[in-house]
Amino acid sequence: MKRLVGLLVLLSTLAPAIAKAQNNTPAQAGVASTPSLEEARTLAAKGRLDQALTELDALAATTPEQPGVERMRGLILYQKEKLPEAESAFAKAMAQDAGDRESTEMRGVTLYRLGKPAEAIPLLEKAHDSAAGANVEPQYVLGLCYADTRRYDDARRAFAAQFGFLPESAEAYLATARLLLRREFADEAALFAHKSLEINPSLPLAHQLLGEIALAKADLPMAVQELEAERKLNPLNGALYDRLGDAFIRSGQFEQARQALNKAVLLEPNSTGPYILLGEALVKLNQPIQAIHYLNRAATMDPDNYVTHNILGQAYRALGRTAEANQEYKRAVEIQHRNDPKPAGAR
């Protein structure tokens, strides 16, 4: 969540604000320059955030404080992940100018990232009302805030605005279901996905989402049922066969898994998931040589996936190639524990 919201804000809000720099002439060597907002913008645009913040802190100490200083301080503090300080700066900017849409919007986003969605909602609603259509990203964050405060229909309306759907459309319900599942609201996601199918029984990806929810709950018969329903509507969707193969493997139906995953690798040749699952299914079907072929392809695409190396170890062991099996098992363990804390004194 943090990475996603940070990316949305930096792309849509922070970069344009910082890029307003106009004065690119550095101060002469040995001559102390007078702090200025334009100089701070120039420094920030060059990535010299600490120097820019020093300029802004000096400007913030003046009376009366120049308009725009606190907004710029907030933007830089946000980029430096100093969220409480950023929120305080945006609050000061709003106190100085109640019509400062950007500070209002960014304060709402910052409060959301500080785990205060209820406090963020009125700010994001106000920002949206004062600049309709100017920036769609606040709608996404607003939708997340509504979801976190269990206002799911309000979340649907916000997500519909984000994606340009009619609020009561099947697409709006399905988009909301997808985003609710991403936030681990599985039961609510299922309700919205079912509603999308009530509105449009032929809507692609709705049965797949319900299959994914069933997989997450380990309801394997229901997962297979929903994914098979999706196949009738969307037979060239590679991700569908990946999920279906996973469901079959977990159900012990390895031949059905092989058939589904063969389609997945044909439709999604650049995704490692189907190759790994197909390798696992082939090991279970006592076809380790074929398994090694697909698993080596996955390992070439992503050498640092420990699951791939673990299943490769199983395949080599099935062939009696103990040394290679042990090498793969060792590699899997090394990858899995690469980021574990080191003991004191260890190099």
Side-chain angles (χ1 to χ4, degrees), residues 117-136:
E119 294 179 42
I121 285 172
L123 297 172
L124 292 168
E125 289 176 333
K126 182 179 179 181
H128 169 63
D129 290 341
S130 62
N135 192 336
V136 295

Side-chain angles (χ1 to χ4, degrees), residues 268-281:
E268 297 288 340
N270 297 318
S271 176
T272 59
Y275 290 99
I276 297 170
L277 288 170
L278 182 54
E280 182 178 0

Side-chain angles (χ1 to χ4, degrees), residues 308-327:
T308 305
H309 293 283
N310 185 58
I311 302 174
L312 267 171
Q314 297 174 33
Y316 283 124
R317 184 178 63 182
L319 291 170
R321 294 159 63 174
T322 305
E324 289 163 289
N326 290 338
Q327 182 178 352

Side-chain angles (χ1 to χ4, degrees), residues 213-226:
I213 294 170
L215 270 176
K217 294 183 174 182
D219 187 348
L220 301 178
M222 181 58 67
V224 170
Q225 178 180 322
E226 291 291 352

Side-chain angles (χ1 to χ4, degrees), residues 4-303:
L4 175 62
V5 175
L7 177 60
L8 288 170
V9 175
L10 291 179
L11 288 175
S12 65
T13 308
L14 184 54
I18 292 177
K20 293 177 182 177
Q22 299 175 354
N23 180 11
N24 292 315
T25 305
Q28 295 180 352
V31 178
S33 60
T34 302
S36 73
L37 182 56
E38 290 304 316
E39 178 63 16
R41 286 173 175 159
T42 300
L43 291 167
K46 294 178 179 179
R48 295 155 68 179
L49 300 184
D50 289 334
Q51 290 175 267
L53 197 55
T54 298
E55 295 266 328
L56 292 166
D57 287 342
L59 289 169
T62 62
T63 304
E65 186 176 0
Q66 182 179 350
V69 168
E70 291 299 336
R71 182 196 313 126
M72 192 69 187
R73 286 186 72 246
L75 291 168
I76 292 175
L77 288 164
Y78 185 95
Q79 189 174 14
K80 289 171 66 67
E81 296 292 329
K82 295 184 177 181
L83 299 183
E85 296 91 335
E87 190 274 328
S88 178
F90 291 131
K92 290 178 182 177
M94 289 175 59
Q96 293 169 356
D97 179 5
D100 187 342
R101 179 196 60 79
E102 188 173 26
S103 293
T104 302
E105 177 182 295
M106 285 301 302
R107 187 183 178 201
V109 171
T110 305
L111 283 167
Y112 170 73
R113 291 192 58 198
L114 286 169
K116 301 177 180 179
E119 294 179 42
I121 285 172
L123 297 172
L124 292 168
E125 289 176 333
K126 182 179 179 181
H128 169 63
D129 290 341
S130 62
N135 192 336
V136 295
E137 281 74 15
Q139 284 289 347
Y140 177 77
V141 182
L142 180 59
L144 296 179
C145 291
Y146 285 140
D148 285 354
T149 54
R150 301 185 183 279
R151 294 169 59 178
Y152 301 119
D153 281 321
D154 287 331
R156 169 175 51 82
R157 285 183 276 271
F159 292 141
Q162 166 75 37
F163 292 104
F165 298 142
L166 293 175
E168 302 301 324
S169 67
E171 291 82 1
Y173 277 95
L174 182 57
T176 304
R178 169 62 64 186
L179 293 167
L180 289 174
L181 180 59
R182 186 178 298 171
R183 301 186 62 71
E184 300 183 357
F185 298 138
D187 292 338
E188 293 78 10
L191 289 174
F192 276 75
H194 280 298
K195 180 63 176 180
S196 74
L197 286 169
E198 289 178 17
I199 299 170
N200 181 2
S202 299
L203 183 66
L205 301 179
H207 284 291
Q208 179 174 321
L209 182 61
L210 288 168
E212 292 172 3
I213 294 170
L215 270 176
K217 294 183 174 182
D219 187 348
L220 301 178
M222 181 58 67
V224 170
Q225 178 180 322
E226 291 291 352
L227 293 167
E228 291 285 11
E230 181 69 30
R231 176 157 58 174
K232 295 176 182 178
L233 296 173
N234 201 5
L236 295 179
N237 177 6
L240 156 70
Y241 293 105
D242 176 86
R243 309 295 191 277
L244 188 57
D246 187 12
F248 281 135
I249 287 175
R250 294 202 221 173
S251 301
Q253 298 172 271
F254 303 119
E255 177 56 31
Q256 292 92 326
R258 183 189 65 78
Q259 294 175 21
L261 292 164
N262 276 336
K263 297 180 177 67
V265 298
L266 292 174
L267 293 169
E268 297 288 340
N270 297 318
S271 176
T272 59
Y275 290 99
I276 297 170
L277 288 170
L278 182 54
E280 182 178 0
L282 289 168
V283 169
K284 298 295 186 181
L285 289 168
N286 296 315
Q287 299 177 29
I289 294 177
Q290 292 187 45
I292 289 170
H293 169 74
Y294 290 105
L295 292 165
N296 277 333
R297 175 67 182 273
T300 300
M301 296 166 66
D302 181 7

